[in-house]
Amino acid sequence: MPDTLLHTMARKKSKLAPPLPPRDGLGASRVRVPETDAPLTAFGFLAEVIASQRHRHPEDTPDAVARRFADGEVVLRSGQPIAADQVLAPGTDVFFYRRPAPERKVPYRITTVFEDDDILVINKPPFLATMPRAAHITETATVRLRRATGNEELTPAHRLDLMTSGLLLFTKRRELRGPYQELFARREVRKQYTAIAPHRPILPTTWRHRIHKVTGDVAATLVPGTPNATTHVTQISLIDAPLSPSLATTYSTPEPLASYLLEPVTGKTHQLRIQMCAAGAPILGDPIYPTIRPFGTEDFSRPMLLTSVYLGFTDPLSGREREFRAEAWLPGAGWRL
């Protein structure tokens, strides 16, 4: 590895090291003291923050907050523990360990596609988020893998939607995050996805749309304007017996089904899902397009059939070409725990 890259990685590691290390697969949370006329004690501030969390463990009471202070688990950015009665200045960053609410267990397992000293490539099942967020904290690929391996530095280099299955690349050490994450951010990774949907007379083509998504809204929309989302549709194959009747029964559809091979050039949120829907071929099991289903009504027996099946790139450390492949995810294919 070139010395300049090593030095750059070392600087980033020092700059980004958190004041509290990850624990039990979870990184520490950070909150900032707001501007206020009344002085805020650290205990009062943190107790209010935790009480207002939407997805909070029912046993995370004021007594549990007090124990965090007693154990030295509420700290400043410098790592210095904060006393419960300390008055905090506006703009102060406070770090602590969140206690997530109980979650519904996702009954599918993660499988390993490739592993060496630097990276881990997995086949992520549907219904499992990539990173902790909102209601999905412990039932995420990152937390599951950290707990299973004991490696608290495992970090995804990119993301897959909660409902999307397939190839997901993790770095195994903190200093490797930058090179691989930047590789994906620069769109230097070749990707292919398989989507199963009703068959439509679409020839291999290229879709170009402008996708707009408002923060907080569940669904994205297609709007007029300069395209910001490009996808190549490279292959469409009819699904024959015995798979087609089985899928038709599972997803309650009488239509002929096809497998679409998609190569996204860009990476907008829900890009492939909304483009497939716009083409009249919504992906089987999609809980948002064309109709939004209520949160918490997931049916684990009817996953969305969109799978990341190929990743190809020039390795940022060695310079050699790397390719990873996975089979398209199908219900009843032996993934259950």
Side-chain angles (χ1 to χ4, degrees):
M1 187 184 306
D3 289 343
T4 53
L5 182 55
L6 280 172
H7 293 326
T8 299
M9 289 160 54
R11 287 197 303 271
K12 289 184 177 180
K13 180 178 180 180
S14 175
K15 179 180 179 182
L16 299 178
L20 287 173
R23 185 175 69 181
D24 198 24
L26 289 169
S29 295
R30 175 181 66 86
V31 289
R32 179 163 293 173
V33 179
E35 294 286 342
T36 178
D37 294 332
L40 284 174
T41 64
F43 176 83
F45 170 62
L46 191 58
E48 182 178 353
V49 166
I50 290 175
S52 65
Q53 289 178 334
R54 182 178 178 185
H55 305 288
R56 174 179 62 88
H57 197 287
E59 296 177 3
D60 206 354
T61 62
D63 286 343
V65 177
R67 284 194 294 273
R68 287 181 173 88
F69 285 99
D71 294 340
E73 294 181 347
V74 184
V75 305
L76 299 171
R77 184 176 290 278
S78 64
Q80 178 183 348
I82 303 172
D85 59 357
Q86 182 175 333
V87 175
L88 301 175
T92 300
D93 286 332
V94 176
F95 295 80
F96 69 101
Y97 290 114
R98 177 181 177 179
R99 189 175 183 184
E103 297 176 43
R104 186 183 179 196
K105 183 74 173 178
V106 176
Y108 297 112
R109 59 188 173 90
I110 297 170
T111 58
T112 298
V113 174
F114 173 84
E115 182 176 10
D116 64 12
D117 292 338
D118 299 326
I119 64 173
L120 170 66
V121 181
I122 64 159
N123 198 338
K124 183 189 83 67
F127 301 103
L128 202 64
T130 298
M131 291 282 289
R133 184 181 180 187
H136 305 285
I137 305 298
T138 56
E139 283 302 287
T140 59
T142 298
V143 173
R144 273 201 188 181
L145 287 170
R146 285 178 176 177
R147 290 178 174 181
T149 64
N151 181 358
E152 298 284 6
E153 295 192 1
L154 271 177
T155 303
H158 58 119
R159 297 191 183 195
L160 291 178
D161 286 346
L162 173 83
M163 295 299 293
T164 304
S165 56
L167 296 169
L168 189 59
L169 187 150
F170 284 76
T171 58
K172 299 178 73 172
R173 299 190 304 282
R174 178 179 299 278
E175 65 268 21
L176 300 181
R177 295 176 186 176
Y180 286 96
Q181 288 177 344
E182 290 166 8
L183 190 73
F184 282 87
R186 294 193 302 264
R187 300 176 184 170
E188 295 177 1
V189 178
R190 304 177 299 280
K191 303 176 184 178
Q192 291 181 343
Y193 289 74
T194 294
I196 296 179
H199 180 249
R200 296 291 181 262
I202 303 169
L203 297 175
T205 186
T206 297
W207 289 330
R208 294 183 177 88
H209 296 97
R210 183 163 190 84
I211 296 177
H212 177 67
K213 188 172 188 302
V214 177
T215 301
D217 286 356
V218 175
T221 56
L222 300 183
V223 297
T226 304
N228 60 4
T230 301
T231 299
H232 300 305
V233 184
T234 60
Q235 184 177 320
I236 303 171
S237 306
L238 273 169
I239 295 177
D240 298 321
L243 182 57
S244 185
S246 173
L247 290 175
T249 298
T250 299
Y251 291 92
S252 304
T253 176
E255 298 186 83
L257 300 175
S259 175
Y260 297 76
L261 187 62
L262 310 173
E263 296 184 1
V265 177
T266 54
K268 303 297 290 185
T269 300
H270 297 178
Q271 176 173 320
L272 302 181
R273 298 165 64 177
I274 194 171
Q275 288 181 319
M276 285 287 292
C277 189
I283 300 170
L284 293 190
D286 193 324
I288 297 178
Y289 306 98
T291 304
I292 299 176
R293 297 177 198 157
F295 175 79
T297 60
E298 299 89 350
D299 182 350
F300 291 140
S301 69
R302 293 160 58 100
M304 184 176 74
L305 300 187
L306 175 65
T307 307
S308 169
V309 295
Y310 172 83
L311 294 176
F313 55 88
T314 302
D315 191 279
L317 305 184
S318 67
R320 73 175 184 270
E321 292 299 312
R322 295 190 124 169
E323 293 184 312
F324 303 105
R325 291 179 170 84
E327 293 294 322
W329 200 96
L330 293 171
W335 283 47
R336 284 192 174 271
L337 296 172

